């Protein structure tokens, strides 16, 4: 058995008992041929391993370079130096793996840019920034499951490969085993997808919602947490071709219940990270502050990262209707000074500049907007009695924009099929979806939270490529 | 606000306080125009709602059919009937959604077969069997995250769409936005994948392991839990084209540490379900026993489901080498009586019949087999000093076969590249993977647990299509 090591995080929290411990990790620094800073990814902090002068031969000393891996055995004692309670007084040092400093692409001294680190995404986890980001991402993911488990929701794995292209949520990727050269064709010359693996044309899912609704009509409350895909050619800091989404779906919820759940959920996630990843958040707060120093005063955040998160969990989200949102925009100084690039009037699909105005300038906190015009929303959203709007809700977050999109679903079969007809959505393809309205239909609602956008919000990172391990974007599927 | 209901599970656990409660759910039965059995999916048990004679008009009575959805308000009182502590004495009943008994495809009275239920997978969650299966599946998924979170592992979302086809784990699905009609071609006539969405040829992942290893060389201990894909035309009760896999990857672990972790993990999952889903397991135990009554005596399980699970958590897994396994097979009565269809000799890739013999006849418990011939295992497995075997491990479970596959990974750059050459695996495509061996390489190990196979094992279901919501198999991507 090899693994008797103690994690650096646990060592740093220990008392200097003088007991023998084994540390394994990667070298972050080596000072005076005496002090090795060792990191194992359990925390951004390093344990100091102290080597007595003369203990190592010159050859070994030279091999203790940044990112070399070592095994150190020694006693855990009170640290003589500043900044740490304990250190390891080494009795033996073993080099597990060398790291040639000349060739190593990740030179921390040079403060590599985030752009450069994306090119070496396989190594960037070894930096403090990405260490913190991915530990926070982990904590957020765990909190998602913990939240829903405590509430008795059932986790559903909805299909990734689907034949359904009826939702119209965006461009899709084809999944196929047919050859491009000489694919099987029907008599009329079209491709014969009956010969494809699944016996029909299939795509990567854009959402697990419709399948989630099926399960909600049996378990009452379910959620999904899985990858979703958009084949959109958008190269922005907020879009990925492959991203993870959480989609709870609840029977017996109306749009107000839906808002309550979403707000409680977001606050729960933030609170969990505040409790479990304080060190990481402190690091990320400082990182953001330093990055923003390079911006002009008026582009900097008004609050630090932790301050912002505390503000969000301690205040109610603003709740307004779409109609109210449009009125606020029309009354705004920004509108009067013609600062909006896009038109503002009832009926528009609000642009990023409008959402940011509402969230960042007007309310200065997360805003839940409900009651959108039916023309700009999906077919399954419940029609309000006014005949013009649907029971949709978007949650807009400062610096991020839309973080949640949801709605009460149309549970009335006649209203639903009528809307599908109007929107040219083929009912025969969705027979199973309509069955839930035929057999014991119930009022129900749900929403989708873009997981990476939530990670952006909590980490203060600004490019979505920096909060997923190996981002998939147009022309990029490296690693 | 709509959702003030109390879940059936919570009601059934309550004392008969006489307080007013709201129940919502689907009708499972209606007896004597008086007793409505209501289920909301929180448990297989129903709450009895008692209607005073004369309270409902005839029209409403007729609408209380199986799977109609209702809202009942009433007082929670001690039950007069057998089998339940409490019931709801209704003060009002509202039909939320009708269910036409004539047309409803799910007639529970007819004891629909599992095969038929697969055709109406969107409704099968409403049966006791699938209610129990999917609540257990949820509990297992939650336990996965809880286990690793408690140990400080970092959850990684590895890419679903990959350009890497180097692992050779099986046939892959192409992901593309190119058209079949007139796809862009290079001068030599081959397809020009530079024009595809990701600027190269891409597939659905068969495993997150290689990317997981990258993260493990920074965080030490990570795990993945995501969908994986095989475009294999195998229509068996154990194969899916889309399935979920858990892949932990640990720096500073050798093959023994790897075995210890896998065994602890599997036991933890089972223990979690035993604690949290007792009712569901009792139902599934009975279901299995009834199903097996139809089998000849010698085909029935020796233990009941719960008994089997208790046995697994209370006993050490058997640990043997591949060489020992082959010896056992060669010494077996089955071999001597020529009962094996496939050849037995050192070097074979053991067939299902061999694995089942070891697990079900010889040891009668889970078995961990290590030290497989290198020829039948993947390039990344660590070469043992004998020059013939690699530090691989498979865990074989009764009734399931291989449930875990793993290995210590080859951390030595020279050995790894040599093996890649021998196996014609292009090193230039895996430059990022090899970098982990170039820069601070560490001994490390990991394994993959097929999640659906684990759900099969714990629920006693026998077809993998019955433990995932909407199975994807050859010629089938319905829902």
């Amino acid at each position: 058995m090899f693994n008797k090591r103690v994690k650096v995080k646990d060592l740093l929290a220990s008392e200097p008992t003088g007991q023998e411990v084994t540390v394994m990790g990667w070298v972050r620094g080596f000072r005076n041929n005496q002090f090795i800073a060792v990191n194992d990814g359990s925390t951004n902090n390093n344990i100091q391993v102290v080597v007595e002068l003369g203990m190592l031969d010159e050859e070994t000393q030279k091999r203790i370079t940044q990112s070399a891996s070592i095994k150190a055995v020694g006693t855990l004692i009170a640290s003589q130096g500043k900044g740490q309670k304990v250190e390891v007084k080494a009795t033996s040092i073993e080099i597990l793996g060398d790291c040639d400093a000349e060739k190593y692409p990740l030179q921390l001294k040079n403060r590599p840019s985030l752009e450069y680190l994306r090119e070496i995404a396989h190594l960037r986890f070894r930096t403090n920034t990405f260490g913190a980001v991915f530990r926070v991402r982990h904590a957020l993911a765990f909190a998602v499951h913990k939240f829903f488990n405590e509430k008795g929701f059932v986790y559903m794995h909805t299909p990734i490969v689907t034949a359904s292209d009826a939702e119209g949520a965006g461009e899709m990727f084809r999944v196929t085993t047919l050859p491009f050269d000489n694919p099987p064709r029907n008599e009329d010359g079209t491709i014969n997808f009956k010969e494809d693996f699944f016996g029909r044309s299939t795509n990567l899912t854009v959402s697990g919602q419709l399948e989630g609704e099926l399960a909600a009509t049996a378990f009452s409350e379910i959620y999904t947490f899985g990858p979703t895909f958009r084949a959109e050619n958008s190269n922005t800091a907020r879009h990925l071709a492959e991203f993870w989404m959480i989609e709870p779906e609840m029977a017996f919820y109306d749009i107000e219940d839906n808002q309550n759940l979403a707000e409680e959920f977001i606050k729960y996630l933030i609170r969990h990270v505040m409790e479990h990843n304080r060190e990481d958040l402190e690091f990320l707060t400082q990182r953001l502050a330093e990055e923003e120093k390079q911006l002009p005063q008026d582009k900097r955040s008004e609050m630090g990262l932790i301050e912002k998160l505390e503000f969000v969990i301690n205040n109610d989200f603003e709740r307004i209707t779409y109609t109210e949102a449009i009125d606020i925009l029309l009354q705004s100084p920004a509108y009067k000074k013609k600062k909006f690039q896009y038109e503002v009037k009832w009926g528009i699909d609000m642009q990023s500049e409008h959402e940011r105005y509402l969230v960042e300038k007007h309310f200065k906190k997360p805003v839940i907007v409900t009651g959108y015009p039916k023309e700009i929303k999906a077919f399954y959203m419940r029609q309000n009695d006014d005949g013009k709007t649907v029971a949709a809700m978007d949650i807009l977050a400062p610096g991020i924009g839309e973080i949640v999109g949801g709605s009460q679903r149309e549970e009335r079969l006649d209203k639903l099929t009528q809307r599908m007809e109007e929107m040219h959505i083929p009912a025969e393809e969705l027979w199973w979806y309509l069955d839930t309205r035929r057999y014991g239909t119930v009022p129900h609602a749900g929403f989708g939270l873009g997981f990476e956008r939530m990670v952006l919000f909590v980490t203060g990172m600004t490019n979505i490529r920096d909060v997923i391990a190996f981002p998939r974007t147009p022309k990029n599927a490296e690693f």
Side-chain angles (χ1 to χ4, degrees), chain A:
Chain A
M1 198 174 83
F2 193 77
N3 190 25
K4 289 188 299 185
R5 77 187 176 101
V6 185
K7 291 192 188 195
V8 170
K9 188 181 181 180
D10 297 333
L11 280 178
L12 291 174
S14 300
E15 294 302 316
T17 54
Q19 73 180 115
E20 187 181 274
V21 294
T22 301
V23 188
M24 299 191 221
W26 294 269
V27 174
R28 283 281 175 95
F30 187 28
R31 205 156 43 80
N32 298 346
N33 281 338
Q34 249 191 308
F35 305 105
I36 314 176
V38 179
N39 188 282
D40 67 0
S42 58
T43 158
N44 269 349
N45 298 316
N46 307 317
I47 184 90
Q48 177 160 284
V49 174
V50 185
V51 183
E52 258 178 76
L53 286 172
M55 193 182 125
L56 301 178
D57 57 42
E58 210 173 315
E59 175 63 19
T60 306
Q61 277 180 0
K62 277 189 194 153
R63 293 172 65 199
I64 302 178
T65 55
Q66 193 215 310
S67 234
S69 55
I70 68 167
K71 173 181 178 177
V73 180
T75 48
L76 191 65
I77 59 168
S79 177
Q80 311 300 307
K82 275 179 284 184
Q84 67 254 337
K85 191 170 64 174
V86 294
E87 63 189 22
V88 174
K89 186 164 181 288
T91 51
S92 81
I93 300 281
E94 183 188 338
I95 311 277
L96 298 173
D98 291 285
C99 184
D100 184 337
E102 304 273 303
K103 292 183 186 155
Y104 189 47
L106 179 61
Q107 300 293 340
L108 293 180
K109 277 184 210 160
N110 306 342
R111 301 199 125 253
S113 69
L114 295 174
E115 289 75 13
Y116 174 68
L117 289 171
R118 269 171 229 149
E119 290 169 27
I120 52 166
H122 60 312
L123 300 175
R124 65 178 176 170
F125 307 118
R126 303 179 182 191
T127 65
N128 282 338
T129 295
F130 289 94
V133 164
F134 284 94
R135 279 189 300 271
V136 168
R137 185 181 166 112
H138 162 83
L140 284 169
F142 184 68
V144 167
H145 292 295
K146 191 157 174 281
F147 177 80
F148 288 119
N149 184 66
E150 283 168 1
K151 288 194 169 290
F153 283 52
V154 176
Y155 180 28
M156 299 301 301
H157 290 115
T158 49
I160 310 303
V161 178
T162 68
S164 149
D165 63 353
E167 208 203 335
E171 298 276 317
M172 291 187 292
F173 291 101
R174 174 179 298 288
V175 174
T176 185
T177 55
L178 293 182
F180 276 109
D181 287 312
N182 229 343
R185 292 186 186 267
N186 299 311
E187 281 182 17
D188 65 1
T190 55
I191 304 296
N192 181 5
F193 286 109
K194 289 209 176 109
E195 296 287 313
D196 207 347
F197 187 91
F198 293 107
R200 59 207 294 184
S201 170
T202 49
N203 319 289
L204 289 178
T205 184
V206 294
S207 159
Q209 179 200 317
L210 301 192
E211 289 90 353
E213 287 186 54
L214 306 178
T217 60
F219 296 111
S220 298
E221 294 171 328
I222 67 95
Y223 73 107
T224 73
F225 187 174
T228 48
F229 305 84
R230 297 280 187 288
E232 278 161 24
N233 202 358
S234 18
N235 250 314
T236 83
R238 297 197 306 166
H239 290 90
L240 292 165
E242 172 182 320
F243 57 100
W244 287 67
M245 192 144 69
I246 298 133
E247 297 183 282
E249 195 67 38
M250 299 77 64
F252 315 114
Y253 276 52
D254 65 15
I255 187 70
E256 193 186 339
D257 300 316
N258 205 21
Q259 291 171 74
N260 293 344
L261 184 77
E263 180 169 343
E264 184 188 350
F265 177 49
I266 289 173
K267 288 177 172 174
Y268 182 99
L269 297 185
I270 296 174
R271 210 172 278 122
H272 179 91
V273 175
M274 298 277 266
E275 274 171 31
H276 293 86
N277 295 66
R278 193 77 199 181
E279 274 176 14
D280 290 324
L281 285 182
E282 279 164 6
F283 174 84
L284 291 166
T285 299
Q286 196 169 343
R287 194 205 71 85
L288 184 62
E290 275 170 30
E291 195 174 270
E292 291 197 345
K293 271 188 201 154
Q294 294 154 37
L295 298 176
Q297 188 79 41
D298 67 323
K299 297 274 180 192
R300 295 181 200 167
S301 307
E302 286 182 28
M303 296 181 196
L305 178 62
I306 290 181
E307 199 187 353
K308 175 187 83 175
L309 297 175
E310 272 166 359
F311 181 82
V312 168
I313 55 181
N314 292 326
N315 287 279
D316 289 342
F317 291 8
E318 195 67 37
R319 299 188 185 194
I320 59 171
T321 64
Y322 170 87
T323 303
E324 287 164 347
I326 296 294
D327 281 345
I328 289 166
L329 292 173
L330 289 173
Q331 302 295 328
S332 69
Y335 179 76
K336 290 176 182 161
K337 290 182 194 156
K338 298 192 197 305
K339 284 204 175 162
F340 291 130
Q341 195 186 337
Y342 293 91
E343 192 185 18
V344 179
K345 66 170 186 182
W346 202 96
I348 60 162
D349 199 358
M350 281 190 279
Q351 298 295 313
S352 177
E353 57 176 357
H354 306 137
E355 295 178 347
R356 294 191 73 146
Y357 179 84
L358 289 171
V359 169
E360 290 163 24
K361 301 285 177 192
H362 191 82
F363 290 113
K364 301 188 182 217
K365 59 170 159 172
V367 177
I368 311 182
V369 183
T370 53
Y372 283 82
K374 66 179 179 184
E375 281 74 18
I376 59 171
K377 288 291 182 181
F379 75 91
Y380 49 71
M381 297 194 178
R382 193 175 198 275
Q383 294 164 57
N384 288 329
D385 293 339
D386 61 14
K388 294 191 303 183
T389 61
V390 288
M393 69 174 205
D394 280 1
I395 302 186
L396 313 175
I400 308 293
E402 184 188 326
I403 194 163
V404 160
S407 72
Q408 188 170 341
R409 315 308 187 189
E410 183 55 81
E411 87 279 13
R412 297 162 295 186
L413 182 62
D414 54 342
K415 299 258 180 197
L416 181 61
T417 49
Q418 183 197 330
R419 191 77 191 125
M420 287 170 73
E421 264 175 47
E422 285 167 13
M423 295 175 75
H424 308 293
I425 289 161
E428 61 282 7
E429 275 185 31
L430 290 179
W431 62 274
W432 40 272
Y433 185 68
L434 294 174
D435 267 6
T436 57
R437 274 67 171 175
R438 288 188 186 108
Y439 306 117
T441 190
V442 289
H444 64 292
F447 62 85
L449 172 75
F451 186 59
E452 281 76 19
R453 291 198 179 173
M454 189 68 199
V455 183
L456 275 181
F457 186 70
V458 174
T459 59
M461 301 298 284
T462 49
N463 192 311
I464 203 160
R465 293 169 179 83
D466 296 331
V467 298
I468 189 166
F470 303 105
R472 274 28 187 157
T473 51
K475 302 296 172 202
N476 176 36
E478 190 66 88
F479 308 106

